[in-house]
């Protein structure tokens, strides 16, 4: 979870005052606006380049080649084509006008060429010693575009700029307050413009627009070294020496900035030769010295990173720097070698390597932006070794090996087809080739499997299966009543699944959170306590889900909330990176502290989602264990049976929803009235992920009393643990619940059960032998939800089928147990569904809770005081009109 996703926790804080919030919002809005402006400017520039390139490919006749070339900063002819020479134009001529337009800059020539393209002749006025001469120069259409030209435009003008700009703007949008993010964007802008001025005739845009585009590309194309040095100085934080001598860095930055400004100024020749001449003269003066300065700046980039890696004390900062150093070295070494050869010899670097090497060089450079984005955005960086291992893991472990297998198999198949189609081959040769091919594939397949197994062993790789962990935890915690044993089991399982060597568990006591179990600390963690009066205790008490708490990251909420040093010191002793609240319906029963992973990786959103499900199930088990301890204590003091019944009734009451959740567009209601002190009926409403999502459950446990109540508690824990795991396969969910209930209950215990999930108008359900709920449509039609399977807990394995219906506005869903439909009066007559359904129809316009009460009232009136023989439970879900 990124720092931007963490909600503020403390109710009163100077950092969360209205003035501070307003000031922070203004700063954030200003930065976001700057991002938008930069994005629009980049889009306008690259859009213009793409337009020129695509139009030149699509209509070469409208983009003729210039019949002459001007000197860079003067309207003097430098060279002429054969056709222009035949028309009388000579090198050294001074061009005054083109197509009746004064020639002030290269942009005027670009507009004139576009205007003259349709006539095929360019009229120019030339100043000679004898006077002004008007010449008509023939225009030669550009050569038709080939496949290489199209590919070049797609790659150089579209894909690569989109990649670099996408990385840069994504990072700065997510970290607008981070200087490193803006410098990364600056670097990406320089990469998108390398070679851009040569690839596109920007003067065709005209003097003003063309000059702006030329200045843009010339400035950024020469600023890559400036961007790299500035990034190295600022990331992840300046060196201590920078605060003592801040002027030193300007000795490097200012010369590089001057070179970039001079290069950018040369683009003014598109607008006005006179304006650009001054910058062009400076550029010629700088000459190769500017290029050498850029290469020295690149060396300085790696030097600064190396110094910071060896001197910084923050482990996460050191890991980021080392990853950046390694990634930059791998990405830029090939291009640097080729460019250095070109610099020394004065020849294009394309002459030193075949085309595939050049392509590989460009591809390797794309690693650099990805590495930059990773070290800036990620909350906690991995070590270089772990990053390499995990990269090889995902690159080689499965997909690459399978791809190689397929490629080899296809190659062998094509080779065999060629042999069999050759009429000169003898039959015996064909059979021999077929046998050798089959043997080769068999042995290659075995070798591939061994290679994949070696990769799995050599490179740390283990995917966490949420369903497996939840099921295994459910198996273990179901029979554990001791809190310490429960927390030890959960802590060890989490550590085993996510490779976390240090895990500590705390439970709520009278004075605060007390240590209950710790692993990996050598007993020191058992001396730590978090008192009720502490700020951190208050923060943990309001947590709804697992939270990351990287103490070395200034963006972490634990730093922003200004947790007292004493509590922060305890978290440092624990090396906490994630706090997991163990929350029940009413309070936080405790929390788990997770230390760093063995892989040094940050906790991912999928990790936190898994931990959320585990935490909920653990909290329920903790709550149950706490209640069991209360039962055991009370039984020792008073009459055992009476107190058991009383406590169990209280437990059962707390397990049922006290108030239904508020779901937009739905009205929910439910009620359970046991026939005796303890009932076996159960209903529940489970808020699911999503704005309009809720789970509905109703069940009837066979039997009465404490055994039925305990089975009901186990059923609720199993259901909530499975439902909150996030799976939408309800048939699989019911199969898992059936197995859990079967293994945790005697042979004569079972339950009828109905569970459904409502998501934005769709209602999926499974009916496990329960009275079919009734869906009353707005038009009065009735539907019964019967799809499902047998009762749960009776068989080790039972197949279930998922059904689904659409819930529309005005529909009413009623679920009930047989205690409602089989309510008896003094004459032993059943109330029955024939009397229930008219009550439902008559009260369909009532609120859900009022409709529940109306049905109970009508059933009681029919019973006329007769003793109730079964628990009476019902739920109502209404789709708002």
């Amino acid at each position: 979870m990124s720092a931007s996703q963490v909600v503020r926790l403390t109710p009163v804080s100077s950092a969360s005052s209205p003035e501070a919030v307003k000031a922070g919002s203004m700063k954030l809005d200003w930065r976001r606006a700057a991002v938008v402006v930069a994005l629009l400017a980049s889009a306008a520039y690259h859009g213009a380049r793409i337009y020129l390139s695509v139009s030149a490919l699509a209509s070469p006749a409208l983009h003729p080649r210039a019949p002459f070339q001007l000197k860079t900063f003067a309207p003097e002819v430098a060279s002429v084509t054969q056709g222009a020479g035949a028309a009388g134009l000579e090198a050294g001529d001074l061009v005054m006008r083109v197509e009746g337009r004064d020639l002030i800059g290269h942009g005027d020539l670009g507009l004139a060429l576009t205007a003259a393209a349709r006539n095929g002749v360019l009229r120019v006025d030339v100043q000679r010693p004898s006077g002004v001469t008007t010449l008509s120069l023939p225009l030669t259409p550009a050569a038709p575009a080939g496949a290489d030209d199209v590919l070049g435009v797609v790659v150089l003008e579209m894909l690569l700029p989109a990649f670099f700009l996408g990385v840069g703007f994504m990072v700065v949008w997510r970290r607008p307050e981070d200087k490193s993010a803006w410098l990364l964007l600056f670097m990406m802008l320089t990469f998108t413009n390398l070679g851009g001025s040569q690839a596109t005739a920007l003067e065709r845009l005209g003097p003003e627009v063309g000059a702006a585009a030329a200045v843009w590309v010339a400035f950024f194309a020469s600023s890559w070294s400036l961007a790299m040095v500035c990034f190295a100085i600022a990331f992840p934080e300046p060196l201590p020496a920078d605060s003592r001598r801040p002027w030193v860095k300007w000795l490097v930055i200012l010369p590089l900035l001057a070179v970039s400004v001079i290069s950018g100024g040369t683009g003014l020749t598109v607008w006005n030769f006179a304006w650009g001449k001054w910058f062009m003269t400076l550029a010629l003066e700088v000459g190769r010295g500017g290029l050498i300065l850029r290469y020295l700046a690149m060396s300085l980039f790696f030097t600064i990173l190396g110094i910071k890696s060896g001197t910084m004390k923050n482990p996460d900062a050191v890991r980021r720097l080392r990853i950046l150093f390694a990634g930059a070295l791998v990405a830029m070494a090939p291009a640097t070698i080729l460019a250095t050869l070109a610099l020394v010899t004065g020849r294009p670097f394309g002459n030193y390597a075949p085309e595939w090497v050049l392509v590989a060089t460009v591809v390797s450079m794309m690693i650099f932006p990805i590495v930059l984005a990773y070290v800036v955005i990620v909350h906690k960086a991995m070590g270089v070794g772990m990053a390499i291992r995990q990269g090889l893991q995902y690159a080689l472990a499965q997909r690459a090996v399978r791809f190689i297998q397929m490629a080899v198999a296809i190659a062998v198949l094509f080779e065999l087809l060629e042999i069999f189609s050759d009429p000169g081959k003898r039959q015996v040769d064909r059979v021999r080739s077929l046998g050798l091919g089959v043997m080769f594939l068999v042995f290659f397949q075995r070798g591939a499997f061994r290679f994949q197994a070696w990769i799995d062993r050599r490179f740390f790789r283990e995917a966490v299966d949420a369903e497996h962990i939840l099921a295994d935890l459910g198996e273990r915690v179901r029979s554990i009543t001791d809190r310490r044993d429960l927390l030890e089991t959960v802590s060890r399982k989490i550590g085993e699944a996510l490779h976390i060597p240090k895990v500590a568990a705390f439970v709520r006591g009278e004075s605060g959170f007390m240590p209950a179990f710790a692993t990996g600390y050598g007993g020191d963690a058992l001396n730590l306590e978090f008192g009720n009066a502490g700020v951190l205790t208050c923060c943990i008490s309001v947590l709804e889900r697992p939270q990351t708490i990287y103490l070395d990251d200034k963006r972490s909420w634990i730093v922003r909330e200004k947790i007292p040093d004493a509590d922060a010191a305890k978290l440092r002793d624990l090396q906490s990176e994630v706090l997991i609240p163990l929350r029940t319906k009413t309070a936080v029963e405790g929390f788990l502290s997770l230390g760093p992973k063995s892989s040094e990786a940050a906790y991912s959103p999928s990790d936190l989602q898994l931990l959320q499900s585990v935490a909920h199930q653990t909290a329920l088990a903790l709550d149950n264990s706490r209640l069991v301890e209360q039962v055991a204590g009370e039984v020792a003091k008073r009459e055992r049976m009476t107190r058991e019944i009383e406590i169990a009734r209280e437990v059962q009451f707390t397990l049922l929803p006290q108030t239904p959740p508020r779901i937009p567009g739905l009205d929910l209601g439910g009620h359970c009235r046991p026939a005796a002190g303890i009932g076996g009926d159960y209903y529940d409403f489970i808020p699911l992920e999503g704005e309009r999502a809720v789970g509905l459950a109703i069940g009837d446990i066979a039997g009465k009393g404490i055994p039925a109540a305990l089975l009901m508690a186990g059923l609720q824990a199993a259901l909530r643990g499975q439902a909150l795991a996030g799976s939408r396969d309800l048939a699989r969910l019911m199969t898992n619940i059936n197995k859990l209930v079967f293994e945790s209950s005697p042979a004569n215990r079972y339950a009828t059960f109905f569970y459904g999930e409502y998501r934005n108008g769709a209602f999926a359900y499974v009916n496990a032998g329960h009275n079919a709920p009734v869906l009353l449509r707005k038009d009065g039609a009735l539907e019964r939800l019967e799809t499902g399977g047998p009762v749960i807990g009776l068989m080790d394995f039972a197949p279930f089928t998922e059904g689904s219906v659409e819930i529309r506005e005005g529909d009413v869903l009623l679920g009930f147990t047989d205690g409602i439909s089989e309510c008896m009066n003094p004459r032993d007559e059943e109330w029955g569904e024939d009397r229930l359904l008219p009550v439902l129809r008559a009260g369909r316009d009532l609120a859900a809770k009022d409709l529940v009460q109306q049905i109970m009232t009508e059933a009681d009136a029919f019973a006329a005081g007769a003793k109730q023989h079964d628990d009476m439970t019902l739920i109502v879900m209404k789709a708002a009109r």
Side-chain angles (χ1 to χ4, degrees):
M1 179 178 298
S2 67
S4 60
Q5 296 173 302
V6 179
V7 296
R8 300 202 66 83
L9 299 173
T10 50
V12 178
S13 172
S14 60
S16 59
S17 64
E19 294 78 8
V21 171
K22 183 177 180 180
S25 299
M26 292 176 63
K27 290 183 180 179
L28 190 61
D29 291 342
W30 179 84
R31 289 165 178 159
R32 298 283 192 199
V35 175
V36 173
V37 170
L39 178 60
L40 292 177
S42 300
Y45 165 68
H46 286 281
R49 278 180 56 170
I50 292 172
Y51 166 75
L52 290 174
S53 301
V54 173
S55 60
L57 294 177
S59 304
L62 298 180
H63 292 265
R65 291 178 293 182
F68 58 90
Q69 295 295 325
L70 294 173
K71 290 186 177 180
T72 306
F73 49 84
E76 182 180 344
V77 176
S79 62
V80 299
T81 62
Q82 185 176 0
L89 188 66
E90 300 176 355
D93 285 342
L94 191 63
V95 180
M96 305 299 295
R97 286 178 295 277
V98 285
E99 288 295 315
R101 181 186 183 95
D102 291 339
L103 184 59
I104 300 175
H106 289 285
D108 297 309
L109 177 59
L111 289 182
L113 285 172
T114 302
R118 297 188 181 278
N119 299 326
V121 176
L122 177 67
R123 293 181 297 107
V124 298
D125 295 338
V126 179
Q127 177 70 50
R128 291 175 174 171
S130 58
V132 177
T133 302
T134 301
L135 302 176
S136 297
L137 308 180
L139 297 178
T140 303
D148 291 343
D149 299 319
V150 175
L151 181 61
V153 169
V154 171
V155 174
L156 297 179
E157 302 289 347
M158 297 181 183
L159 296 182
L160 286 181
F163 170 73
F164 289 124
L165 292 177
V167 171
F169 280 104
M170 181 271 293
V171 172
V172 78
W173 185 262
R174 295 186 61 179
R175 293 280 186 267
E177 75 288 348
D178 193 340
K179 293 180 181 179
S180 299
W182 287 94
L183 291 173
L184 184 148
L185 175 61
F186 180 30
M187 205 181 309
M188 295 301 101
L189 288 172
T190 67
F191 290 170
T192 60
N193 290 284
L194 290 175
S197 57
Q198 292 78 17
T200 307
L202 298 175
E203 64 271 8
R204 299 294 179 100
L205 296 173
E208 294 81 8
V209 178
V215 170
W216 175 287
V217 66
F219 174 79
F220 283 111
S222 61
S223 299
W224 55 270
S225 55
L226 172 64
M228 292 180 66
V229 168
C230 291
F231 186 88
I233 293 173
F235 178 83
E237 57 189 39
L239 287 168
D242 186 48
S243 60
R244 297 192 300 268
R245 299 180 181 87
W247 53 269
V248 173
K249 60 177 177 290
W250 295 106
L251 298 178
V252 178
I253 294 176
L254 289 178
L256 290 171
L257 180 60
V259 172
S260 298
V261 171
I262 292 172
S263 299
T266 60
L268 292 174
T269 57
V270 176
W271 176 36
N272 190 300
F273 291 117
W275 279 91
K277 181 178 180 179
W278 186 79
F279 289 99
M280 187 61 67
T281 303
L282 288 177
L284 294 176
E285 291 288 338
V286 173
R288 294 166 67 93
L291 187 58
I292 295 174
L293 181 63
R294 296 189 189 106
Y295 276 90
L296 292 177
M298 180 185 292
S299 301
L300 185 60
F301 170 81
F302 287 101
T303 302
I304 294 174
L305 294 184
I307 293 174
K308 286 186 174 182
S309 299
T311 58
M312 283 195 169
K313 297 181 180 180
N314 187 323
D316 185 59
V318 172
R319 285 194 296 268
R320 293 175 195 268
L321 289 166
R322 290 177 178 174
I323 289 178
L324 177 58
F325 188 95
L329 191 63
V330 171
M332 304 186 70
T336 303
I337 293 172
L338 294 179
T340 303
L341 290 174
L343 177 64
V344 172
T345 62
R347 296 165 54 192
F349 64 79
N351 295 344
Y352 295 98
E355 185 175 349
W356 67 269
V357 173
L358 299 178
V359 173
T361 300
V362 173
V363 172
S364 68
M365 289 185 65
M366 298 178 69
I367 298 174
F368 189 44
I370 297 175
V371 173
L372 285 170
Y374 173 80
V375 297
V376 172
I377 289 180
V378 71
H379 208 89
K380 180 185 178 184
M382 293 184 291
V384 176
M386 181 54 61
I388 294 175
R389 290 207 305 271
Q390 289 197 350
L392 287 175
Q393 162 205 331
Y394 290 107
L396 299 176
Q398 291 181 342
R399 297 181 181 177
V401 173
R402 292 174 183 173
F403 175 79
I404 294 173
Q405 289 176 277
M406 293 176 60
V408 171
I410 293 174
V412 172
L413 178 60
F414 274 96
E415 185 66 24
L416 290 176
L417 290 175
E418 185 176 349
I419 293 174
F420 274 81
S421 61
D422 186 358
K425 294 290 184 181
R426 297 181 303 170
Q427 187 68 22
V428 64
D429 293 333
R430 295 175 179 175
V431 174
R432 184 185 300 112
S433 300
L434 177 62
L436 290 175
V438 172
M439 290 178 61
F440 174 79
L441 288 177
V442 170
F443 284 104
F444 181 81
Q445 188 80 356
R446 292 182 179 179
F449 286 146
R450 291 182 180 180
F451 180 59
Q452 183 170 341
W454 177 83
I455 291 174
D456 287 339
R457 292 192 304 269
R458 178 64 182 84
F459 302 107
F460 177 75
R461 175 183 181 272
E462 184 171 338
V464 179
D465 185 346
E467 288 190 10
H468 173 73
I469 291 178
L470 285 175
D472 188 62
L473 279 177
E475 289 284 344
R476 297 192 181 197
V477 305
R478 199 169 54 242
S479 58
I480 300 177
T481 57
D482 182 74
R483 282 190 170 193
R484 189 186 186 285
D485 292 343
L486 172 65
L487 292 173
E488 179 179 357
T489 300
V490 173
S491 299
R492 292 191 183 280
K493 189 61 180 177
I494 291 177
E496 173 189 345
L498 297 178
H499 303 276
I500 307 169
K502 294 187 176 183
V503 181
F506 294 80
V507 295
R508 183 177 288 280
E510 294 182 359
S511 59
F513 290 111
M514 315 297 291
F517 175 78
T519 178
Y521 294 98
D524 294 338
L526 296 178
N527 299 323
L528 300 176
E529 297 181 6
F530 296 89
N532 284 327
V535 176
L536 183 61
T537 300
C538 298
C539 291
I540 295 174
S541 299
V542 298
L543 287 180
E544 297 288 342
R545 54 182 59 87
Q547 291 278 17
T548 56
I549 54 164
Y550 300 120
L551 294 170
D552 294 328
D553 193 334
K554 296 179 180 178
R555 298 169 296 186
S556 178
W557 67 269
I558 205 75
V559 177
R560 297 201 319 268
E561 290 299 324
K562 299 183 178 180
I563 300 299
D565 293 340
D567 287 341
K570 295 176 183 178
L571 292 177
R572 291 186 185 278
D573 292 339
L574 293 172
Q575 299 182 34
S576 298
E577 291 193 359
V578 173
L579 293 182
I580 308 174
L582 303 178
R583 173 175 290 279
T584 62
K585 292 181 179 180
T586 57
V588 173
E589 293 292 326
F591 71 91
L592 300 177
S593 168
L594 307 186
K597 292 184 179 181
S598 299
S599 65
E600 301 179 352
Y603 287 87
S604 66
S606 59
D607 292 336
L608 298 179
Q609 183 179 4
L610 168 64
L611 294 172
Q612 170 71 6
S613 299
V614 173
H616 183 79
Q617 192 165 351
T618 304
L620 290 175
L622 264 180
D623 197 29
N624 288 339
S625 68
R626 178 179 61 83
L627 294 172
V628 169
E629 290 176 0
Q630 290 179 356
V631 169
E634 291 297 331
V635 165
K637 295 178 181 179
R638 302 183 181 183
E639 295 182 4
R640 183 174 183 276
M641 184 59 66
T642 303
R643 191 54 183 163
E644 271 190 2
I645 294 175
E646 184 63 23
I647 295 176
R649 182 176 182 179
E650 294 174 2
V651 171
Q652 188 177 46
F653 179 75
T654 60
L655 293 178
L656 296 176
Q658 304 303 303
T659 58
R662 295 185 178 181
I663 307 297
L666 293 181
D667 185 13
L668 303 173
H671 184 71
C672 176
R673 187 169 68 191
I678 303 175
D681 282 4
Y682 162 63
Y683 78 94
D684 207 353
F685 301 111
I686 305 175
L688 304 176
E689 185 177 358
E691 183 179 359
R692 299 182 60 197
V694 66
L696 282 74
I698 187 168
D700 188 355
I701 313 298
K704 301 287 187 299
I706 292 179
L710 291 177
L711 183 55
M712 167 198 156
L715 175 60
Q716 187 217 35
L719 172 63
R720 284 186 165 259
Q722 294 289 325
L724 293 175
S727 173
R728 297 192 179 185
D729 186 351
L730 300 190
R732 174 72 177 274
L733 178 147
M734 194 65 76
T735 299
N736 293 340
I737 292 177
N738 173 74
K739 182 176 180 62
L740 293 173
V741 173
F742 176 84
E743 294 176 354
S744 63
S745 60
N748 63 340
R749 294 292 176 186
Y750 62 92
T752 66
F753 188 57
F754 175 90
Y755 177 70
E757 291 185 353
Y758 172 88
R759 299 179 188 272
N760 294 317
F763 187 76
Y765 70 92
V766 177
N767 190 335
H770 194 72
N771 302 77
V774 177
L775 179 59
L776 177 62
R777 295 291 188 184
K778 184 177 181 179
D779 59 2
L782 288 175
E783 297 181 22
R784 296 184 180 274
L785 309 186
E786 299 176 339
T787 304
V791 298
I792 60 173
L794 197 59
M795 297 176 288
D796 184 19
F797 174 79
F800 294 93
T801 304
E802 179 178 323
S804 64
V805 294
E806 180 182 1
I807 304 296
R808 296 183 288 270
E809 180 181 345
D811 292 348
V812 181
L813 176 65
L814 172 66
F816 55 94
T817 60
D818 54 12
I820 296 291
S821 58
E822 297 175 4
C823 175
M824 307 288 289
N825 64 9
R827 295 185 296 276
D828 289 335
E829 296 174 340
E830 286 188 359
W831 191 37
E833 294 186 15
D834 292 337
R835 294 183 176 90
L836 170 62
L837 297 180
V839 177
L840 173 62
R841 291 181 184 276
R844 65 177 304 159
D845 292 328
L846 298 174
K849 65 177 184 178
D850 296 332
L851 178 56
V852 168
Q853 186 59 46
Q854 182 66 27
I855 294 174
M856 295 296 294
T857 300
E858 292 293 334
D860 291 341
F862 176 81
K867 184 179 179 180
Q868 185 178 337
H869 296 285
D870 202 354
D871 304 333
M872 301 176 69
T873 303
L874 53 86
I875 58 174
V876 170
M877 181 180 76
K878 295 186 62 178
R881 293 178 180 272

